[in-house]
């Protein structure tokens, strides 16, 4: 057992004599205070909202004199109790000190306390129950030996915002500029309008709450907001009725879009490398056309004619003329991919006059400057190719995620995950069954890839179960082996996302 000896500051008389004698003015022996170093450490790390308890063990060299305790945090007195009990309500590093005192003097023990974010990085799940009650779940990473990765108990929104009502029917979330932006449709019966929350990405505490009751038909389902927001730019939010509203993240203002005025499919592609370099992709149901916003400008439609816009739209030049939208996806780049690597978007369409399905792989954005031709040209990576005859299980609302590393699309239907090698000659209707989750009644709500794309996270719910009927199962991306199960950790999942640090 180690004992920390600290100089006891006494009066001059105490310093002059530590041994009791019978001479005039002499004192008794000083009782020095010794703190067991095993009972108090020099460094503590706790998570936000975690309670730290320290019980110091003290000894005295001469008798048991009355002890008093003082705990200081950043040079301010926190407590005089013998035991230190502290709840980490705010993130930060704190310089602390224990002072133990008797009638002869004091002993000091300085230590450092770090209050860390438990939500620094990891799997995040949005879900709601059958009545629309919303829930935010987060998977805590292993930090203590013997304690595996696990989801935090309860709703992380409510835990960190006990005085704020979480609006019903969550629909989407994006990570942007230090915030986790979450959208909810609300509850008309309870007169709770659609709501957009700004949560601090490290604490999940609400920084801002935006409600627009003046737009009764606004029910946000897709947030077209890139990872790096730009002050003064309005970003599109897709409503359940297919309309688009524009949202300024700096001014927290939302209005119906005056640029994107058609009806749009429930799909949105987002790619950004910086706050001023981003591309957003939408399918225009009214014009049967694919369009994009580039760095806030547009919409520009996919055509052989560079920058065909609203005011010069020509149906005969529309690249997807005569096609109906089926689905779209952007293959996930590796987290350490070079910023020069060009993203692509794969679009699945059906001929309006037949049952033939086709795919096309486009650049995002569509056009690239060709020095030989001296102009911007459409980069379609091979043009429209047949991908199936029979009606595929893939739909615009299907949960899906695509790996650029393995050139494979994973999509869900009921309790089954299918995989389709989108760059091969495999027909879409011949997609391979990858795995089945839960019972035959299970319904997959969302999927996500790990940062290295070697693991696939499948979030689903069991309609027959009550309470927390949502589950997350993890599979090996290549061979489909079930690696881990996290059962009853959420409600009906609507989105699972890897929140980056």
């Amino acid at each position: 057992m180690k004992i920390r000896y600290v100089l006891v500051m006494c009066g001059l008389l105490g310093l002059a004599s530590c041994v009791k004698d019978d001479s005039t003015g002499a004192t008794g022996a000083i009782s020095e205070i010794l703190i067991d170093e095993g009972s108090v450490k020099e460094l503590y790390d706790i998570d936000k909202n975690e309670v730290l308890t320290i019980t110091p063990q003290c000894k005295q060299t001469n008798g048991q004199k009355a002890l008093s305790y003082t705990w200081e945090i950043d040079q301010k007195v926190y407590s005089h109790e013998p035991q230190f009990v502290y709840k980490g309500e705010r993130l930060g590093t704190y310089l602390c000190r224990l002072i133990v005192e008797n009638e002869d003097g004091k002993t000091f023990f300085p230590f450092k306390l770090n209050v860390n974010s438990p939500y620094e990085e990891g799997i995040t799940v949005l879900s709601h129950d059958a009545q629309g009650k919303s829930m935010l779940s987060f998977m805590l990473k292993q930090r203590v030996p013997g304690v595996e990765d696990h989801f935090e108990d309860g709703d992380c929104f409510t835990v960190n915002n006990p005085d704020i009502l979480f609006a019903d029917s969550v629909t989407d979330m994006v990570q942007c500029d230090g915030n986790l932006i979450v959208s909810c449709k609300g509850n008309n019966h309870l007169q709770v309008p659609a709501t957009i929350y700004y949560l601090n990405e490290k604490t999940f505490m609400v920084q801002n709450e935006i409600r627009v009751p003046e737009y009764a038909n606004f029910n946000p389902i897709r947030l077209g907001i890139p990872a790096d927001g730009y002050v003064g730019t309005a970003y599109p939010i897709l409503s359940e009725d297919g309309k688009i509203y524009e949202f300024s993240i700096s001014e927290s203002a939302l209005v119906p879009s005056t640029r994107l005025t058609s009806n749009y499919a429930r799909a949105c592609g987002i790619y950004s490398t910086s706050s001023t370099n981003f591309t957003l992709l939408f399918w225009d149901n009214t014009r049967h056309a694919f369009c994009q916003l580039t760095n806030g400008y547009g919409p520009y439609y996919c055509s052989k004619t560079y920058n065909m816009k609203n005011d010069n739209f020509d149906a005969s030049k529309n690249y997807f003329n005569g096609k109906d939208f089926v689905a779209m996806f952007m293959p996930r780049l590796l987290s350490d991919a070079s910023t020069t690597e060009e993203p692509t978007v794969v679009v699945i369409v059906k001929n309006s006059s037949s049952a033939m399905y086709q795919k096309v792989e486009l650049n995002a954005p569509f056009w690239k400057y060709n020095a030989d031709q001296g102009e911007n040209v459409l980069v379609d990576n091979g043009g429209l190719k047949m991908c199936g005859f029979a009606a595929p299980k893939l739909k615009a609302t299907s949960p899906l995620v695509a790996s650029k590393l393995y050139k494979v699309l994973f999509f869900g239907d009921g309790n089954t995950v299918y995989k389709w090698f989108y760059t091969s000659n495999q027909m879409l209707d011949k997609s391979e069954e990858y795995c089945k989750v839960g019972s035959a009644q299970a319904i997959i709500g969302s999927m996500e890839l790990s940062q290295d794309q070697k693991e696939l996270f499948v979030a689903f719910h069991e309609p027959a179960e009550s309470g927390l009927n949502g589950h997350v199962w993890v599979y090996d991306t290549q061979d489909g082996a079930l690696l881990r199960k996290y059962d009853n950790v959420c409600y009906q999942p609507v989105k699972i996302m890897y929140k980056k640090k």
Side-chain angles (χ1 to χ4, degrees), residues 87-342:
K87 183 177 181 180
E89 296 181 340
R90 293 192 303 170
L91 300 182
T93 297
Y94 302 93
L95 299 179
C96 306
R97 186 169 64 163
L98 165 63
I99 306 172
V100 185
E101 186 175 1
N102 63 15
E103 63 184 39
D104 294 332
K106 302 178 180 179
T107 295
F108 303 84
F109 194 111
F111 61 95
K112 182 184 293 186
L113 170 60
N114 293 322
V115 180
N116 306 308
S117 168
Y119 316 120
E120 192 75 31
E121 180 179 15
I123 290 293
T124 311
V125 182
L126 275 184
S127 64
H128 61 74
D129 67 10
Q131 288 72 45
K133 180 182 178 182
S134 298
M135 184 174 185
L136 175 64
S137 305
F138 187 83
M139 183 189 292
L140 301 173
K141 287 185 170 293
Q142 177 186 1
R143 292 197 300 122
V144 180
V147 178
E148 298 180 346
D149 293 356
H150 62 283
F151 278 87
E152 183 176 23
D153 293 335
D155 172 29
C156 294
F157 183 101
T158 302
V159 167
N160 294 281
N161 305 279
D163 299 326
I164 299 177
L165 175 66
F166 199 0
D168 284 351
S169 302
V170 287
T171 57
D172 199 9
M173 62 179 165
V174 296
Q175 189 176 3
C176 175
D177 285 344
N179 294 290
L180 191 67
I181 304 178
V182 178
S183 61
C184 302
K185 290 194 292 185
N187 189 316
N188 292 331
H189 298 294
L190 299 178
Q191 297 184 338
V192 178
T195 307
I196 297 173
Y197 296 101
Y198 275 57
L199 308 181
N200 181 291
E201 67 179 6
K202 292 186 177 181
T203 65
F204 287 168
M205 295 179 66
V206 172
Q207 307 295 307
N208 199 0
E209 184 178 354
I210 300 98
R211 292 181 175 177
V212 282
E214 59 269 30
Y215 301 124
N217 294 325
F218 175 62
N219 288 312
I221 57 173
R222 293 289 181 273
L223 299 173
I225 302 175
D228 299 294
Y230 186 59
V231 175
T233 301
Y235 297 101
I237 296 180
L238 180 62
S239 181
E240 190 173 31
D241 59 3
K243 300 299 182 182
I244 285 182
Y245 293 72
E246 294 194 351
F247 178 65
S248 170
I249 60 174
S250 57
E251 300 174 0
S252 301
L254 182 138
V255 295
S257 177
T258 58
R259 297 182 298 170
L260 298 160
T261 56
S262 295
N263 184 279
Y264 299 87
R266 290 192 180 190
C268 175
I270 304 175
Y271 176 75
S272 66
T273 56
S274 69
S275 61
T276 57
N277 186 18
F278 62 90
T279 299
L280 304 175
L281 303 163
F282 297 92
W283 178 271
D284 186 329
N285 284 327
T286 304
R287 288 174 167 169
H288 296 263
F290 203 44
C291 63
Q292 70 181 27
L293 293 179
T294 302
N295 301 334
Y297 297 96
Y300 304 117
Y301 290 89
C302 186
S303 69
K304 296 292 184 181
T305 304
Y306 175 59
N307 281 7
M308 183 171 71
K309 297 185 288 187
N310 274 328
D311 54 3
N312 64 347
F313 184 84
D314 185 343
S316 65
K317 296 180 180 179
N318 174 17
Y319 186 89
F320 291 97
N321 193 25
K323 305 292 190 297
D324 293 325
F325 180 73
V326 176
M328 61 167 282
F329 57 91
M330 296 186 71
R332 188 72 53 84
L333 298 174
L334 284 170
S335 58
D336 58 354
S338 168
T339 55
T340 61
E341 184 174 350
E342 293 183 347

